[in-house]
Amino acid sequence: MNFSAWEYWTDGHTEGGLMPNGYGLRKCLCGAFYLRREMVDLGEVDESELDHPSPVYDDDLPNAIAQARNDQVEMAARLEYWQHLNHSYRERYRAHRDAEEAANQASWALANPDNRSFWQKLRKVPAPTYVRSSSSPFTYPPFEPTLVQQDNMRALLLLLNSEDRRKKHLEEIVELHRELGEFEEAAKALDEYEDIDRSKVSELLADLVKDKETAPVRYRL
């Protein structure tokens, strides 16, 4: 089974994959928030009136943060809230990239018209095919996080930077510092990677930090 998504983002969000987004945050019928891994298996029953646990809706994430009974629940809620608050930028990013790529293709079509003769078409000689050039412009709109986004990212960094979590969450830490424009801190976190820990994402983040880019970026695996 292929679990690949058609969009991957540097803040961890994915689109179109079979693996769900989210960090296991759930809401009880009583209104309390908990993590899926905290659930206890009580065995099987023939029937039950209990609802199946469902992910927390985006609008309820601030409540999950405010009511979090421990830092693990708060961390999961803030991670999801971070991605949620970046969604409006994703829409601008997609629109900008689509418009720029359409312009690239239009320019290419003018420079590479289909000049096949009647006989070439009859013999099914293929028409010129657009292939994006490495020299084609690749830009995206500026990223300007709101105060709400900044506050959430800074609070999230405090949670992720604990001694027992930092190594496990280095990619998130690098990305948070980068989106906040804190490139020195992002670079320090990148230096903590061991060679065996390097991945396509960490290499991309390193390039973005070097270029002092703050925007969440879309990529494909």
Side-chain angles (χ1 to χ4, degrees):
M1 185 177 292
N2 188 349
F3 290 94
S4 298
W6 63 66
E7 279 188 6
Y8 293 85
W9 291 81
T10 50
D11 66 356
H13 179 72
T14 62
E15 288 282 347
L18 294 178
M19 297 298 290
N21 285 295
Y23 295 86
L25 186 65
R26 297 293 183 267
K27 186 176 182 179
C28 176
L29 290 176
C30 67
F33 296 91
Y34 64 97
L35 299 178
R36 186 173 56 190
R37 65 173 178 267
E38 295 179 298
M39 297 175 65
V40 177
D41 185 1
L42 298 178
E44 296 184 6
V45 295
D46 292 333
E47 60 183 45
S48 172
E49 296 181 358
L50 296 176
D51 289 341
H52 290 287
S54 60
V56 175
Y57 292 112
D58 292 336
D59 291 345
D60 218 5
L61 289 171
N63 291 329
I65 293 169
Q67 299 174 27
R69 71 183 194 285
N70 58 46
D71 59 355
Q72 292 187 356
V73 172
E74 181 184 352
M75 184 177 74
R78 287 193 180 278
L79 283 165
E80 293 195 23
Y81 196 41
W82 172 35
Q83 293 181 355
H84 165 64
L85 292 174
N86 279 344
H87 288 342
S88 60
Y89 177 78
R90 281 183 243 282
E91 293 300 321
R92 298 198 305 276
Y93 183 104
R94 293 185 187 105
H96 181 98
R97 292 294 317 121
D98 289 347
E100 186 169 75
E101 187 60 14
N104 290 342
Q105 293 190 32
S107 297
W108 180 92
L110 288 174
N112 299 273
D114 184 358
N115 291 327
R116 291 175 300 163
S117 67
F118 170 78
W119 293 110
Q120 287 176 316
K121 292 178 181 179
L122 190 64
R123 287 162 46 206
K124 296 186 178 179
V125 174
T129 303
Y130 171 75
V131 177
R132 190 179 188 282
S133 170
S134 59
S135 62
S136 297
F138 187 99
T139 63
Y140 34 84
F143 177 67
E144 298 177 355
T146 65
L147 290 177
V148 172
Q149 287 176 286
Q150 293 177 45
D151 288 345
N152 183 64
M153 287 192 281
R154 294 189 192 286
L156 186 49
L157 278 168
L158 290 175
L159 292 167
L160 296 178
N161 270 313
S162 65
E163 185 175 349
D164 59 331
R165 293 183 185 138
R166 183 173 173 86
K167 185 173 178 58
K168 181 180 178 181
H169 293 280
L170 275 177
E171 282 184 1
E172 289 96 336
I173 289 169
V174 173
E175 178 68 4
L176 286 162
H177 280 304
R178 188 180 71 81
E179 290 185 20
L180 286 166
E182 299 170 350
F183 301 110
E184 288 187 12
E185 294 300 323
K188 288 178 183 177
L190 281 166
D191 287 342
E192 295 180 38
Y193 278 95
E194 297 179 8
D195 289 340
I196 58 174
D197 295 331
R198 290 285 176 178
S199 65
K200 180 177 180 179
V201 181
S202 65
E203 295 296 340
L204 171 59
L205 291 177
D207 289 340
L208 293 169
V209 170
K210 181 180 178 181
D211 293 338
K212 291 184 166 38
E213 296 284 355
T214 61
V217 169
R218 179 178 63 183
Y219 67 95
R220 288 178 173 81
L221 291 177

